Amino acid sequence: MSTTVAIERIGFIGLGVMGSGQASNVTRRSGLPVSVFDMSTDAVDRLVEVGAERAASVAEVAARSDVIFLSLPGGPQVEAVVLGEDGVLTHARAGAVIVDLSTIPVEVAERVGAAAIERGAHFIDAPVARTRQAAIDGTLSITAGGDPAAFARVEPLLQTMASDVILCGPNGAGALIKLVNNLVVFETVVALSEALTLIRRTGLVDPELAWTALGQGSAASFTLENHGRKALLPDVHGEGIFPAEYMRKDIGYALDLAEQLGVTLPSATLAHDLLGRTIDAGYGKAYHTAVVKVIEGEV
């Protein structure tokens, strides 16, 4: 049984594309001291400039913090950082809450959650949705999985990073909702890429006008207005946002779960294949909307 302790110090591990904005917001808005660690000293330096404290290692963050946030590339990294020989659980305080903001497989969230309980701690899988700008602005959407009491303790901290926070169920539930969110988003990106290809090839309707018309009909969506208008229409798929290789990882997690459940996901399988072709064409680091290049037959 874990011990409930007051939250006096926060730790943050992983200051990448999304983590840097999240860590900045919790540092500036929580009113609590925040220790940060990342393999990039430049990333740590930027957080120190907004008031965070530099930590020398994962172990130091864990030993000093009542709540430890993680923002890492995926499941293997989360397992290594939390369960590794010199990882978070080895050094975590009794009653600590580990909050993972990464996108990981459901089974990893369940396994790490069980390991945390064994060590007298709690684990909350709390992956984030929306854009890098939302991470900077503190307007992310967070779907969480874990013990309700532990979630209640960290919810105010999550609200420093997100405008929408919801507890979806036990460990694994937050991860599941994030995976299906990305599944829906990317399959919609594929549909929009197909629509845009037809619009451009016929030459009958200006693409900007077509997007306005689609937005006034039943095709209207967040993805249409954001991924579509900001990336597909101008054909700009910059690096450092949410790359094709990350999206392929997430779709792969969903397909692995489907296989475990004995379910076939035809559209997800196609999406995974298209992302593979996008990566093979040299767009692995580009925004995943670069899949339009494959659909248009440019690569």
Side-chain angles (χ1 to χ4, degrees):
M1 183 71 67
S2 63
T3 302
T4 300
V5 296
I7 298 174
E8 297 179 351
R9 294 190 62 90
I10 300 168
F12 206 108
I13 299 167
L15 306 174
V17 170
M18 300 296 281
S20 58
Q22 295 161 348
S24 177
N25 281 319
V26 76
T27 298
R28 292 184 294 106
R29 297 175 178 177
S30 69
L32 296 172
V34 180
S35 300
V36 298
F37 175 75
D38 191 275
M39 297 299 291
S40 167
T41 55
D42 288 344
V44 174
D45 289 343
R46 287 191 289 272
L47 264 295
V48 170
E49 289 176 2
V50 299
E53 301 174 6
R54 186 186 311 273
S57 64
V58 166
E60 182 179 338
V61 171
R64 297 175 65 183
S65 307
D66 303 304
V67 176
I68 304 104
F69 287 101
L70 312 175
S71 183
L72 301 169
Q77 292 81 10
V78 170
E79 288 195 273
V81 167
V82 179
L83 305 180
E85 183 177 344
D86 204 30
V88 170
L89 282 182
T90 301
H91 299 276
R93 301 175 175 185
V97 184
I98 303 158
V99 184
D100 179 34
L101 304 164
S102 321
T103 301
I104 62 175
V106 171
E107 63 177 350
V108 171
E110 293 174 332
R111 183 161 58 250
V112 176
I117 292 296
E118 289 180 0
R119 298 289 187 91
H122 281 291
F123 178 79
I124 304 290
D125 46 291
V128 303
R130 298 181 183 150
T131 62
R132 179 186 188 183
Q133 189 59 48
I136 294 169
D137 295 340
T139 57
L140 292 164
S141 170
I142 294 179
T143 56
D147 175 74
F151 170 77
R153 291 177 61 205
V154 300
E155 186 177 10
L157 299 177
L158 293 172
Q159 290 171 341
T160 68
M161 313 173 200
S163 54
D164 297 282
V165 181
I166 182 170
L167 179 64
C168 299
N171 280 138
L176 172 63
I177 297 302
K178 175 58 188 296
L179 292 181
V180 297
N181 175 83
N182 282 9
L183 201 63
V184 171
V185 166
F186 187 70
E187 289 180 8
T188 305
V189 166
V190 171
L192 292 174
S193 298
E194 293 175 340
L196 183 59
T197 298
L198 290 178
I199 290 165
R200 285 174 171 162
R201 291 293 173 86
T202 64
L204 292 173
V205 184
D206 175 76
E208 290 279 354
L209 177 60
W211 234 244
T212 298
L214 288 170
Q216 292 175 354
S218 55
S221 70
F222 175 90
T223 306
L224 177 87
E225 291 302 325
N226 287 271
H227 302 71
R229 196 174 292 280
K230 297 176 182 178
L232 292 173
L233 276 181
D235 202 21
V236 174
H237 316 283
E239 296 187 2
I241 310 175
F242 189 75
E245 58 187 17
Y246 274 32
M247 183 60 84
R248 187 171 189 268
K249 166 186 67 71
D250 292 355
I251 301 297
Y253 287 162
L255 288 171
D256 289 343
L257 178 61
E259 183 177 3
Q260 294 165 20
L261 298 172
V263 177
T264 300
L265 303 179
S267 294
T269 301
L270 173 61
H272 193 259
D273 175 67
L274 287 169
L275 283 164
R277 291 164 61 188
T278 303
I279 294 166
D280 290 344
Y283 291 97
K285 304 294 183 185
Y287 196 27
H288 58 82
T289 51
V291 70
V292 72
K293 301 291 189 183
V294 173
I295 292 171
E296 290 181 338
E298 293 186 15
V299 293

